[in-house]
Amino acid sequence: MPQGTKISIVILMTSLFLSGINAQERSIGATFSYAGTGISFQNKVKEDTFIEIQLRAETTHLFASVSDIPGMTASVTWNMTFAEMTSPDGNRISFFAGPGISAGFADDIPIHKGVIFGLKGRVGVECCFNRNIALSACVSPVIGAHVSMKDGIPYMLFYKTGMMNCIMPEVGIRYIF
């Protein structure tokens, strides 16, 4: 197959893919909690399903004055809406939950910086206003492992701070486009 034909096929496939993404509702915003502050991007896949990608600064140990620098994590969750109410003027409240994965470099108890990875869950509520603003509240526990070095020896322990996120609610604000 000639090089020009291959390029044409790639351009056609990319434009078809991007036209499908463009039709979906997306939002971008920020999340805040004692456990961390981050930016998030949501992409609606179906009417009742959305993917959220989050990049977050882990601040639990920073606010407790036991660490100097926040950790960083990235996560992806697949969320499903299980209940939704819409008002006559177009505002809606959605209740959602979903699984995902999380990885990064952060502190854990006892305080050691290290690599974290694990399964992430999300349960929450989101209020979408007809002015393209969404407010949300959720909890996002991470069940995983924390790998750190102590005296030159790698240690892998249960990620305790990730489970503490069960009791630290996270609020968010997003712009829908």
Side-chain angles (χ1 to χ4, degrees):
M1 190 180 307
Q3 186 70 18
T5 307
K6 290 179 184 177
I7 292 172
S8 298
I9 290 172
V10 169
I11 290 172
L12 177 65
M13 297 297 285
T14 304
S15 63
L16 288 173
F17 175 73
L18 291 176
S19 67
I21 287 178
N22 195 30
Q24 299 166 349
E25 183 180 289
R26 296 176 308 268
S27 64
I28 190 164
T31 58
F32 308 95
S33 80
Y34 180 79
T37 302
I39 56 172
S40 70
F41 172 77
Q42 285 185 0
N43 188 19
K44 200 169 234 189
V45 179
K46 291 192 258 180
E47 187 61 35
D48 62 346
T49 306
F50 63 92
I51 294 173
E52 180 174 30
I53 301 168
Q54 187 177 53
L55 184 61
R56 177 174 148 139
E58 299 290 332
T59 57
T60 306
H61 300 287
L62 184 71
F63 290 149
S65 298
V66 291
S67 179
D68 298 351
I69 332 168
M72 291 298 293
T73 59
S75 64
V76 175
T77 55
W78 181 273
N79 302 281
M80 289 137 302
T81 303
F82 57 86
E84 187 172 83
M85 297 176 282
T86 305
S87 69
D89 57 353
N91 301 324
R92 78 175 184 269
I93 296 176
S94 304
F95 297 90
F96 62 88
I101 57 172
S102 183
F105 188 77
D107 285 320
D108 197 21
I109 303 164
I111 309 304
H112 297 290
K113 285 239 188 282
V115 175
I116 63 121
F117 56 92
L119 299 175
K120 180 176 183 172
R122 278 177 57 85
V123 176
V125 60
E126 183 173 66
C127 301
C128 297
F129 301 98
N130 58 7
R131 300 271 185 194
N132 294 344
I133 297 293
L135 300 175
S136 64
C138 67
V139 291
S140 302
V142 176
I143 299 172
H146 182 264
V147 180
S148 65
M149 298 292 281
K150 185 174 181 183
D151 300 327
I153 301 170
Y155 283 91
M156 184 166 80
L157 300 169
F158 182 72
Y159 182 47
K160 298 171 210 72
T161 304
M163 284 307 293
M164 287 175 42
N165 291 343
C166 282
I167 58 172
M168 295 184 206
E170 174 181 283
V171 296
I173 183 167
R174 276 186 287 292
Y175 174 72
I176 302 167
F177 56 97

